[in-house]
Amino acid sequence: MTTTRNTGSKTTSRPAFELRAGGLHVIIQRIPGWLVALVTTAGGAAGTWWAQR
């Protein structure tokens, strides 16, 4: 039988994105849906433009 252990409080969670470069430390906890939509739309438009050149 498998058991799960509660190792602490539920308030801590893994970040969606973490970047550590030298003294720069950037953590994004949650990526908003509008930002994902904006990036995919811009990427699709740029890809279409590049393919038609």
Side-chain angles (χ1 to χ4, degrees):
M1 183 168 145
T2 304
T3 59
T4 57
R5 295 183 183 187
N6 189 359
T7 58
S9 67
K10 297 285 184 180
T11 59
T12 59
S13 63
R14 291 180 51 195
F17 178 78
E18 184 172 359
L19 173 68
R20 293 181 185 212
L24 178 67
H25 188 197
V26 177
I27 296 176
I28 299 175
Q29 291 292 339
R30 187 179 75 80
I31 300 173
W34 64 265
L35 183 59
V36 174
L38 179 68
V39 168
T40 55
T41 301
T48 302
W49 172 80
W50 184 76
Q52 291 181 352
R53 286 181 24 162

mmCIF file of all heavy atoms in Angstrom:
data_model
loop_
_atom_site.group_PDB
_atom_site.id
_atom_site.type_symbol
_atom_site.label_atom_id
_atom_site.label_comp_id
_atom_site.label_asym_id
_atom_site.label_seq_id
_atom_site.Cartn_x
_atom_site.Cartn_y
_atom_site.Cartn_z
ATOM 1 N N MET A 1 0.834 -1.177 0.000
ATOM 2 C CA MET A 1 0.000 0.000 0.000
ATOM 3 C C MET A 1 0.880 1.241 0.000
ATOM 4 O O MET A 1 1.840 1.330 0.751
ATOM 5 C CB MET A 1 -0.900 -0.032 1.229
ATOM 6 C CG MET A 1 -1.854 1.101 1.290
ATOM 7 S SD MET A 1 -3.047 0.724 2.562
ATOM 8 C CE MET A 1 -3.321 2.319 3.166
ATOM 9 N N THR A 2 0.549 2.203 -0.836
ATOM 10 C CA THR A 2 1.333 3.429 -0.952
ATOM 11 C C THR A 2 0.817 4.461 0.035
ATOM 12 O O THR A 2 -0.390 4.670 0.154
ATOM 13 C CB THR A 2 1.223 3.989 -2.371
ATOM 14 O OG1 THR A 2 1.620 2.985 -3.292
ATOM 15 C CG2 THR A 2 2.112 5.194 -2.533
ATOM 16 N N THR A 3 1.733 5.092 0.708
ATOM 17 C CA THR A 3 1.344 6.160 1.632
ATOM 18 C C THR A 3 1.953 7.466 1.165
ATOM 19 O O THR A 3 3.035 7.491 0.586
ATOM 20 C CB THR A 3 1.829 5.871 3.066
ATOM 21 O OG1 THR A 3 3.245 5.749 3.046
ATOM 22 C CG2 THR A 3 1.210 4.606 3.604
ATOM 23 N N THR A 4 1.254 8.543 1.405
ATOM 24 C CA THR A 4 1.779 9.860 1.083
ATOM 25 C C THR A 4 2.057 10.590 2.384
ATOM 26 O O THR A 4 1.321 10.449 3.358
ATOM 27 C CB THR A 4 0.785 10.675 0.239
ATOM 28 O OG1 THR A 4 -0.440 10.771 0.951
ATOM 29 C CG2 THR A 4 0.549 10.011 -1.103
ATOM 30 N N ARG A 5 3.128 11.344 2.377
ATOM 31 C CA ARG A 5 3.503 12.072 3.579
ATOM 32 C C ARG A 5 3.302 13.560 3.366
ATOM 33 O O ARG A 5 3.642 14.090 2.315
ATOM 34 C CB ARG A 5 4.967 11.815 3.919
ATOM 35 C CG ARG A 5 5.241 10.396 4.288
ATOM 36 C CD ARG A 5 6.666 10.238 4.674
ATOM 37 N NE ARG A 5 6.932 8.833 4.971
ATOM 38 C CZ ARG A 5 8.054 8.395 5.468
ATOM 39 N NH1 ARG A 5 9.037 9.239 5.700
ATOM 40 N NH2 ARG A 5 8.212 7.129 5.717
ATOM 41 N N ASN A 6 2.791 14.200 4.351
ATOM 42 C CA ASN A 6 2.644 15.647 4.331
ATOM 43 C C ASN A 6 3.921 16.225 4.926
ATOM 44 O O ASN A 6 4.180 16.085 6.116
ATOM 45 C CB ASN A 6 1.416 16.070 5.139
ATOM 46 C CG ASN A 6 1.116 17.537 4.969
ATOM 47 O OD1 ASN A 6 1.823 18.242 4.271
ATOM 48 N ND2 ASN A 6 0.062 17.988 5.614
ATOM 49 N N THR A 7 4.741 16.859 4.098
ATOM 50 C CA THR A 7 6.054 17.334 4.542
ATOM 51 C C THR A 7 6.024 18.760 5.068
ATOM 52 O O THR A 7 7.066 19.311 5.375
ATOM 53 C CB THR A 7 7.078 17.245 3.399
ATOM 54 O OG1 THR A 7 6.606 18.021 2.308
ATOM 55 C CG2 THR A 7 7.279 15.802 2.978
ATOM 56 N N GLY A 8 4.884 19.362 5.143
ATOM 57 C CA GLY A 8 4.832 20.731 5.638
ATOM 58 C C GLY A 8 3.548 21.406 5.238
ATOM 59 O O GLY A 8 2.563 20.763 4.882
ATOM 60 N N SER A 9 3.584 22.719 5.290
ATOM 61 C CA SER A 9 2.379 23.475 4.964
ATOM 62 C C SER A 9 2.145 23.481 3.459
ATOM 63 O O SER A 9 3.052 23.325 2.662
ATOM 64 C CB SER A 9 2.508 24.914 5.469
ATOM 65 O OG SER A 9 3.512 25.585 4.748
ATOM 66 N N LYS A 10 0.914 23.703 3.095
ATOM 67 C CA LYS A 10 0.531 23.743 1.678
ATOM 68 C C LYS A 10 0.768 25.120 1.066
ATOM 69 O O LYS A 10 0.492 25.321 -0.089
ATOM 70 C CB LYS A 10 -0.952 23.371 1.532
ATOM 71 C CG LYS A 10 -1.280 21.976 1.984
ATOM 72 C CD LYS A 10 -0.813 20.981 0.986
ATOM 73 C CE LYS A 10 -1.250 19.592 1.420
ATOM 74 N NZ LYS A 10 -0.846 18.572 0.526
ATOM 75 N N THR A 11 1.267 26.076 1.851
ATOM 76 C CA THR A 11 1.435 27.427 1.333
ATOM 77 C C THR A 11 2.638 27.547 0.407
ATOM 78 O O THR A 11 2.702 28.458 -0.396
ATOM 79 C CB THR A 11 1.586 28.441 2.482
ATOM 80 O OG1 THR A 11 2.718 28.061 3.268
ATOM 81 C CG2 THR A 11 0.330 28.465 3.333
ATOM 82 N N THR A 12 3.591 26.656 0.507
ATOM 83 C CA THR A 12 4.759 26.720 -0.370
ATOM 84 C C THR A 12 4.527 25.815 -1.574
ATOM 85 O O THR A 12 4.074 24.689 -1.440
ATOM 86 C CB THR A 12 6.043 26.278 0.361
ATOM 87 O OG1 THR A 12 5.869 24.952 0.835
ATOM 88 C CG2 THR A 12 6.339 27.201 1.523
ATOM 89 N N SER A 13 4.811 26.338 -2.750
ATOM 90 C CA SER A 13 4.670 25.563 -3.972
ATOM 91 C C SER A 13 5.824 25.899 -4.899
ATOM 92 O O SER A 13 6.506 26.896 -4.731
ATOM 93 C CB SER A 13 3.334 25.863 -4.653
ATOM 94 O OG SER A 13 3.291 27.205 -5.032
ATOM 95 N N ARG A 14 6.034 25.034 -5.878
ATOM 96 C CA ARG A 14 7.103 25.269 -6.835
ATOM 97 C C ARG A 14 6.719 26.399 -7.767
ATOM 98 O O ARG A 14 5.575 26.490 -8.203
ATOM 99 C CB ARG A 14 7.348 24.008 -7.646
ATOM 100 C CG ARG A 14 7.956 22.898 -6.817
ATOM 101 C CD ARG A 14 8.188 21.665 -7.626
ATOM 102 N NE ARG A 14 8.912 21.999 -8.849
ATOM 103 C CZ ARG A 14 9.008 21.182 -9.882
ATOM 104 N NH1 ARG A 14 8.406 20.023 -9.857
ATOM 105 N NH2 ARG A 14 9.677 21.540 -10.945
ATOM 106 N N PRO A 15 7.677 27.274 -8.099
ATOM 107 C CA PRO A 15 7.372 28.356 -9.036
ATOM 108 C C PRO A 15 7.189 27.823 -10.452
ATOM 109 O O PRO A 15 7.719 26.774 -10.816
ATOM 110 C CB PRO A 15 8.590 29.263 -8.937
ATOM 111 C CG PRO A 15 9.680 28.407 -8.416
ATOM 112 C CD PRO A 15 9.033 27.353 -7.571
ATOM 113 N N ALA A 16 6.441 28.559 -11.258
ATOM 114 C CA ALA A 16 6.235 28.177 -12.647
ATOM 115 C C ALA A 16 7.511 28.384 -13.452
ATOM 116 O O ALA A 16 7.804 27.640 -14.382
ATOM 117 C CB ALA A 16 5.096 28.984 -13.255
ATOM 118 N N PHE A 17 8.292 29.408 -13.090
ATOM 119 C CA PHE A 17 9.539 29.720 -13.809
ATOM 120 C C PHE A 17 10.524 30.311 -12.820
ATOM 121 O O PHE A 17 10.167 31.165 -12.018
ATOM 122 C CB PHE A 17 9.254 30.720 -14.930
ATOM 123 C CG PHE A 17 10.479 31.128 -15.688
ATOM 124 C CD1 PHE A 17 11.040 30.291 -16.643
ATOM 125 C CD2 PHE A 17 11.089 32.342 -15.444
ATOM 126 C CE1 PHE A 17 12.175 30.665 -17.336
ATOM 127 C CE2 PHE A 17 12.221 32.721 -16.137
ATOM 128 C CZ PHE A 17 12.764 31.880 -17.079
ATOM 129 N N GLU A 18 11.758 29.846 -12.886
ATOM 130 C CA GLU A 18 12.800 30.375 -12.007
ATOM 131 C C GLU A 18 14.081 30.548 -12.820
ATOM 132 O O GLU A 18 14.502 29.637 -13.520
ATOM 133 C CB GLU A 18 13.040 29.435 -10.842
ATOM 134 C CG GLU A 18 14.029 29.968 -9.848
ATOM 135 C CD GLU A 18 14.131 29.115 -8.596
ATOM 136 O OE1 GLU A 18 13.413 28.107 -8.501
ATOM 137 O OE2 GLU A 18 14.940 29.466 -7.733
ATOM 138 N N LEU A 19 14.673 31.732 -12.741
ATOM 139 C CA LEU A 19 15.895 32.046 -13.472
ATOM 140 C C LEU A 19 16.928 32.581 -12.491
ATOM 141 O O LEU A 19 16.668 33.542 -11.778
ATOM 142 C CB LEU A 19 15.625 33.092 -14.564
ATOM 143 C CG LEU A 19 16.850 33.630 -15.295
ATOM 144 C CD1 LEU A 19 17.479 32.533 -16.148
ATOM 145 C CD2 LEU A 19 16.476 34.818 -16.146
ATOM 146 N N ARG A 20 18.083 31.938 -12.457
ATOM 147 C CA ARG A 20 19.189 32.405 -11.630
ATOM 148 C C ARG A 20 20.412 32.566 -12.518
ATOM 149 O O ARG A 20 20.888 31.614 -13.111
ATOM 150 C CB ARG A 20 19.506 31.406 -10.526
ATOM 151 C CG ARG A 20 18.419 31.273 -9.506
ATOM 152 C CD ARG A 20 18.821 30.289 -8.442
ATOM 153 N NE ARG A 20 17.720 30.080 -7.520
ATOM 154 C CZ ARG A 20 17.870 29.805 -6.242
ATOM 155 N NH1 ARG A 20 19.083 29.683 -5.740
ATOM 156 N NH2 ARG A 20 16.833 29.625 -5.477
ATOM 157 N N ALA A 21 20.865 33.797 -12.633
ATOM 158 C CA ALA A 21 22.042 34.092 -13.453
ATOM 159 C C ALA A 21 22.884 35.129 -12.709
ATOM 160 O O ALA A 21 22.522 36.308 -12.687
ATOM 161 C CB ALA A 21 21.632 34.595 -14.826
ATOM 162 N N GLY A 22 23.954 34.686 -12.110
ATOM 163 C CA GLY A 22 24.790 35.598 -11.343
ATOM 164 C C GLY A 22 24.018 36.191 -10.179
ATOM 165 O O GLY A 22 23.470 35.475 -9.357
ATOM 166 N N GLY A 23 23.957 37.504 -10.108
ATOM 167 C CA GLY A 23 23.222 38.167 -9.046
ATOM 168 C C GLY A 23 21.740 38.315 -9.337
ATOM 169 O O GLY A 23 20.972 38.731 -8.476
ATOM 170 N N LEU A 24 21.314 37.963 -10.564
ATOM 171 C CA LEU A 24 19.912 38.100 -10.961
ATOM 172 C C LEU A 24 19.144 36.849 -10.551
ATOM 173 O O LEU A 24 19.545 35.726 -10.862
ATOM 174 C CB LEU A 24 19.806 38.290 -12.475
ATOM 175 C CG LEU A 24 18.403 38.403 -13.049
ATOM 176 C CD1 LEU A 24 17.752 39.695 -12.574
ATOM 177 C CD2 LEU A 24 18.458 38.358 -14.558
ATOM 178 N N HIS A 25 18.054 37.031 -9.841
ATOM 179 C CA HIS A 25 17.223 35.915 -9.416
ATOM 180 C C HIS A 25 15.765 36.289 -9.667
ATOM 181 O O HIS A 25 15.206 37.126 -8.974
ATOM 182 C CB HIS A 25 17.458 35.630 -7.928
ATOM 183 C CG HIS A 25 16.801 34.387 -7.449
ATOM 184 N ND1 HIS A 25 16.590 34.137 -6.127
ATOM 185 C CD2 HIS A 25 16.309 33.325 -8.108
ATOM 186 C CE1 HIS A 25 15.990 32.971 -5.995
ATOM 187 N NE2 HIS A 25 15.808 32.471 -7.192
ATOM 188 N N VAL A 26 15.158 35.674 -10.693
ATOM 189 C CA VAL A 26 13.779 35.991 -11.088
ATOM 190 C C VAL A 26 12.913 34.763 -10.849
ATOM 191 O O VAL A 26 13.246 33.667 -11.290
ATOM 192 C CB VAL A 26 13.704 36.400 -12.583
ATOM 193 C CG1 VAL A 26 12.277 36.653 -13.001
ATOM 194 C CG2 VAL A 26 14.565 37.618 -12.838
ATOM 195 N N ILE A 27 11.806 34.963 -10.136
ATOM 196 C CA ILE A 27 10.861 33.873 -9.879
ATOM 197 C C ILE A 27 9.478 34.336 -10.314
ATOM 198 O O ILE A 27 9.018 35.403 -9.916
ATOM 199 C CB ILE A 27 10.819 33.488 -8.389
ATOM 200 C CG1 ILE A 27 12.164 32.946 -7.942
ATOM 201 C CG2 ILE A 27 9.734 32.455 -8.135
ATOM 202 C CD1 ILE A 27 12.228 32.631 -6.475
ATOM 203 N N ILE A 28 8.816 33.525 -11.144
ATOM 204 C CA ILE A 28 7.438 33.784 -11.543
ATOM 205 C C ILE A 28 6.589 32.677 -10.932
ATOM 206 O O ILE A 28 6.771 31.505 -11.255
ATOM 207 C CB ILE A 28 7.289 33.826 -13.075
ATOM 208 C CG1 ILE A 28 8.138 34.952 -13.648
ATOM 209 C CG2 ILE A 28 5.823 33.979 -13.457
ATOM 210 C CD1 ILE A 28 8.147 35.006 -15.152
ATOM 211 N N GLN A 29 5.686 33.033 -10.039
ATOM 212 C CA GLN A 29 4.865 32.043 -9.353
ATOM 213 C C GLN A 29 3.757 31.497 -10.249
ATOM 214 O O GLN A 29 3.474 30.304 -10.227
ATOM 215 C CB GLN A 29 4.241 32.656 -8.094
ATOM 216 C CG GLN A 29 5.245 32.953 -7.012
ATOM 217 C CD GLN A 29 5.852 31.708 -6.398
ATOM 218 O OE1 GLN A 29 5.292 30.630 -6.485
ATOM 219 N NE2 GLN A 29 7.017 31.864 -5.818
ATOM 220 N N ARG A 30 3.100 32.383 -10.999
ATOM 221 C CA ARG A 30 1.970 31.960 -11.832
ATOM 222 C C ARG A 30 2.019 32.739 -13.132
ATOM 223 O O ARG A 30 2.166 33.951 -13.127
ATOM 224 C CB ARG A 30 0.653 32.258 -11.106
ATOM 225 C CG ARG A 30 -0.565 31.714 -11.787
ATOM 226 C CD ARG A 30 -1.821 32.018 -11.008
ATOM 227 N NE ARG A 30 -2.244 33.411 -11.122
ATOM 228 C CZ ARG A 30 -2.903 33.912 -12.159
ATOM 229 N NH1 ARG A 30 -3.176 33.154 -13.194
ATOM 230 N NH2 ARG A 30 -3.267 35.176 -12.180
ATOM 231 N N ILE A 31 1.899 32.029 -14.252
ATOM 232 C CA ILE A 31 1.914 32.680 -15.556
ATOM 233 C C ILE A 31 0.463 32.977 -15.955
ATOM 234 O O ILE A 31 -0.348 32.056 -16.057
ATOM 235 C CB ILE A 31 2.588 31.793 -16.614
ATOM 236 C CG1 ILE A 31 4.027 31.496 -16.197
ATOM 237 C CG2 ILE A 31 2.550 32.450 -17.975
ATOM 238 C CD1 ILE A 31 4.744 30.504 -17.075
ATOM 239 N N PRO A 32 0.114 34.251 -16.164
ATOM 240 C CA PRO A 32 -1.270 34.592 -16.511
ATOM 241 C C PRO A 32 -1.658 34.081 -17.894
ATOM 242 O O PRO A 32 -0.834 34.032 -18.817
ATOM 243 C CB PRO A 32 -1.297 36.116 -16.477
ATOM 244 C CG PRO A 32 0.060 36.577 -16.153
ATOM 245 C CD PRO A 32 0.962 35.407 -16.015
ATOM 246 N N GLY A 33 -2.912 33.722 -18.037
ATOM 247 C CA GLY A 33 -3.413 33.201 -19.308
ATOM 248 C C GLY A 33 -3.312 34.199 -20.434
ATOM 249 O O GLY A 33 -3.034 33.835 -21.576
ATOM 250 N N TRP A 34 -3.529 35.482 -20.140
ATOM 251 C CA TRP A 34 -3.454 36.500 -21.194
ATOM 252 C C TRP A 34 -2.037 36.619 -21.743
ATOM 253 O O TRP A 34 -1.852 36.901 -22.916
ATOM 254 C CB TRP A 34 -3.956 37.856 -20.699
ATOM 255 C CG TRP A 34 -3.132 38.458 -19.589
ATOM 256 C CD1 TRP A 34 -3.364 38.353 -18.264
ATOM 257 C CD2 TRP A 34 -1.939 39.240 -19.737
ATOM 258 N NE1 TRP A 34 -2.377 39.023 -17.564
ATOM 259 C CE2 TRP A 34 -1.497 39.578 -18.447
ATOM 260 C CE3 TRP A 34 -1.201 39.688 -20.828
ATOM 261 C CZ2 TRP A 34 -0.363 40.338 -18.215
ATOM 262 C CZ3 TRP A 34 -0.061 40.446 -20.590
ATOM 263 C CH2 TRP A 34 0.339 40.758 -19.303
ATOM 264 N N LEU A 35 -1.033 36.380 -20.897
ATOM 265 C CA LEU A 35 0.352 36.448 -21.362
ATOM 266 C C LEU A 35 0.683 35.267 -22.277
ATOM 267 O O LEU A 35 1.353 35.429 -23.295
ATOM 268 C CB LEU A 35 1.304 36.489 -20.170
ATOM 269 C CG LEU A 35 2.788 36.635 -20.492
ATOM 270 C CD1 LEU A 35 3.055 37.915 -21.279
ATOM 271 C CD2 LEU A 35 3.610 36.612 -19.221
ATOM 272 N N VAL A 36 0.191 34.093 -21.945
ATOM 273 C CA VAL A 36 0.383 32.919 -22.803
ATOM 274 C C VAL A 36 -0.276 33.149 -24.155
ATOM 275 O O VAL A 36 0.308 32.863 -25.211
ATOM 276 C CB VAL A 36 -0.172 31.651 -22.120
ATOM 277 C CG1 VAL A 36 -0.123 30.463 -23.059
ATOM 278 C CG2 VAL A 36 0.581 31.361 -20.842
ATOM 279 N N ALA A 37 -1.494 33.691 -24.146
ATOM 280 C CA ALA A 37 -2.205 33.971 -25.396
ATOM 281 C C ALA A 37 -1.470 35.010 -26.238
ATOM 282 O O ALA A 37 -1.366 34.874 -27.460
ATOM 283 C CB ALA A 37 -3.626 34.447 -25.094
ATOM 284 N N LEU A 38 -0.943 36.040 -25.589
ATOM 285 C CA LEU A 38 -0.210 37.085 -26.303
ATOM 286 C C LEU A 38 1.059 36.533 -26.948
ATOM 287 O O LEU A 38 1.346 36.816 -28.119
ATOM 288 C CB LEU A 38 0.148 38.218 -25.346
ATOM 289 C CG LEU A 38 0.932 39.390 -25.937
ATOM 290 C CD1 LEU A 38 0.054 40.154 -26.914
ATOM 291 C CD2 LEU A 38 1.420 40.300 -24.835
ATOM 292 N N VAL A 39 1.799 35.722 -26.213
ATOM 293 C CA VAL A 39 3.048 35.155 -26.748
ATOM 294 C C VAL A 39 2.766 34.203 -27.905
ATOM 295 O O VAL A 39 3.460 34.240 -28.934
ATOM 296 C CB VAL A 39 3.836 34.456 -25.624
ATOM 297 C CG1 VAL A 39 4.979 33.620 -26.169
ATOM 298 C CG2 VAL A 39 4.361 35.479 -24.630
ATOM 299 N N THR A 40 1.751 33.357 -27.789
ATOM 300 C CA THR A 40 1.453 32.421 -28.877
ATOM 301 C C THR A 40 0.923 33.145 -30.113
ATOM 302 O O THR A 40 1.251 32.768 -31.243
ATOM 303 C CB THR A 40 0.448 31.348 -28.428
ATOM 304 O OG1 THR A 40 -0.720 31.985 -27.914
ATOM 305 C CG2 THR A 40 1.042 30.450 -27.375
ATOM 306 N N THR A 41 0.123 34.189 -29.913
ATOM 307 C CA THR A 41 -0.378 34.970 -31.046
ATOM 308 C C THR A 41 0.753 35.691 -31.760
ATOM 309 O O THR A 41 0.843 35.678 -32.996
ATOM 310 C CB THR A 41 -1.436 35.983 -30.571
ATOM 311 O OG1 THR A 41 -2.497 35.267 -29.943
ATOM 312 C CG2 THR A 41 -1.980 36.793 -31.726
ATOM 313 N N ALA A 42 1.636 36.315 -30.987
ATOM 314 C CA ALA A 42 2.775 37.017 -31.585
ATOM 315 C C ALA A 42 3.710 36.036 -32.287
ATOM 316 O O ALA A 42 4.227 36.331 -33.377
ATOM 317 C CB ALA A 42 3.533 37.802 -30.516
ATOM 318 N N GLY A 43 3.919 34.880 -31.700
ATOM 319 C CA GLY A 43 4.775 33.872 -32.328
ATOM 320 C C GLY A 43 4.191 33.354 -33.630
ATOM 321 O O GLY A 43 4.900 33.157 -34.625
ATOM 322 N N GLY A 44 2.879 33.144 -33.659
ATOM 323 C CA GLY A 44 2.220 32.685 -34.878
ATOM 324 C C GLY A 44 2.275 33.744 -35.973
ATOM 325 O O GLY A 44 2.507 33.428 -37.142
ATOM 326 N N ALA A 45 2.060 34.996 -35.590
ATOM 327 C CA ALA A 45 2.124 36.089 -36.575
ATOM 328 C C ALA A 45 3.534 36.241 -37.131
ATOM 329 O O ALA A 45 3.723 36.433 -38.341
ATOM 330 C CB ALA A 45 1.653 37.387 -35.948
ATOM 331 N N ALA A 46 4.527 36.166 -36.254
ATOM 332 C CA ALA A 46 5.922 36.282 -36.706
ATOM 333 C C ALA A 46 6.302 35.093 -37.599
ATOM 334 O O ALA A 46 7.000 35.278 -38.619
ATOM 335 C CB ALA A 46 6.848 36.364 -35.505
ATOM 336 N N GLY A 47 5.858 33.905 -37.231
ATOM 337 C CA GLY A 47 6.153 32.727 -38.067
ATOM 338 C C GLY A 47 5.500 32.810 -39.433
ATOM 339 O O GLY A 47 6.106 32.448 -40.435
ATOM 340 N N THR A 48 4.278 33.299 -39.490
ATOM 341 C CA THR A 48 3.586 33.474 -40.772
ATOM 342 C C THR A 48 4.285 34.516 -41.634
ATOM 343 O O THR A 48 4.481 34.320 -42.840
ATOM 344 C CB THR A 48 2.128 33.884 -40.528
ATOM 345 O OG1 THR A 48 1.507 32.875 -39.729
ATOM 346 C CG2 THR A 48 1.376 34.038 -41.820
ATOM 347 N N TRP A 49 4.664 35.631 -41.014
ATOM 348 C CA TRP A 49 5.369 36.682 -41.743
ATOM 349 C C TRP A 49 6.696 36.163 -42.294
ATOM 350 O O TRP A 49 7.045 36.411 -43.446
ATOM 351 C CB TRP A 49 5.619 37.880 -40.829
ATOM 352 C CG TRP A 49 6.487 38.917 -41.438
ATOM 353 C CD1 TRP A 49 6.117 39.864 -42.333
ATOM 354 C CD2 TRP A 49 7.900 39.084 -41.226
ATOM 355 N NE1 TRP A 49 7.221 40.624 -42.684
ATOM 356 C CE2 TRP A 49 8.325 40.157 -42.017
ATOM 357 C CE3 TRP A 49 8.835 38.427 -40.426
ATOM 358 C CZ2 TRP A 49 9.634 40.597 -42.036
ATOM 359 C CZ3 TRP A 49 10.152 38.864 -40.448
ATOM 360 C CH2 TRP A 49 10.538 39.941 -41.251
ATOM 361 N N TRP A 50 7.436 35.412 -41.482
ATOM 362 C CA TRP A 50 8.744 34.910 -41.904
ATOM 363 C C TRP A 50 8.595 33.874 -43.027
ATOM 364 O O TRP A 50 9.399 33.852 -43.956
ATOM 365 C CB TRP A 50 9.469 34.288 -40.712
ATOM 366 C CG TRP A 50 10.850 33.849 -41.041
ATOM 367 C CD1 TRP A 50 11.939 34.624 -41.204
ATOM 368 C CD2 TRP A 50 11.265 32.505 -41.277
ATOM 369 N NE1 TRP A 50 13.034 33.857 -41.507
ATOM 370 C CE2 TRP A 50 12.640 32.548 -41.565
ATOM 371 C CE3 TRP A 50 10.617 31.290 -41.269
ATOM 372 C CZ2 TRP A 50 13.369 31.399 -41.838
ATOM 373 C CZ3 TRP A 50 11.337 30.142 -41.540
ATOM 374 C CH2 TRP A 50 12.711 30.225 -41.817
ATOM 375 N N ALA A 51 7.555 33.039 -42.956
ATOM 376 C CA ALA A 51 7.346 32.015 -43.968
ATOM 377 C C ALA A 51 6.944 32.627 -45.324
ATOM 378 O O ALA A 51 7.215 32.038 -46.372
ATOM 379 C CB ALA A 51 6.291 31.022 -43.510
ATOM 380 N N GLN A 52 6.299 33.778 -45.302
ATOM 381 C CA GLN A 52 5.835 34.400 -46.552
ATOM 382 C C GLN A 52 6.863 35.335 -47.165
ATOM 383 O O GLN A 52 6.595 35.895 -48.211
ATOM 384 C CB GLN A 52 4.541 35.155 -46.296
ATOM 385 C CG GLN A 52 3.379 34.250 -46.003
ATOM 386 C CD GLN A 52 2.100 35.031 -45.787
ATOM 387 O OE1 GLN A 52 2.106 36.254 -45.717
ATOM 388 N NE2 GLN A 52 0.992 34.327 -45.659
ATOM 389 N N ARG A 53 7.988 35.515 -46.543
ATOM 390 C CA ARG A 53 9.023 36.417 -47.083
ATOM 391 C C ARG A 53 9.605 35.884 -48.365
ATOM 392 O O ARG A 53 9.777 34.796 -48.657
ATOM 393 C CB ARG A 53 10.162 36.580 -46.085
ATOM 394 C CG ARG A 53 9.778 37.437 -44.957
ATOM 395 C CD ARG A 53 10.887 37.629 -43.973
ATOM 396 N NE ARG A 53 12.196 37.436 -44.584
ATOM 397 C CZ ARG A 53 13.338 37.850 -44.089
ATOM 398 N NH1 ARG A 53 13.335 38.484 -42.960
ATOM 399 N NH2 ARG A 53 14.468 37.649 -44.667
#
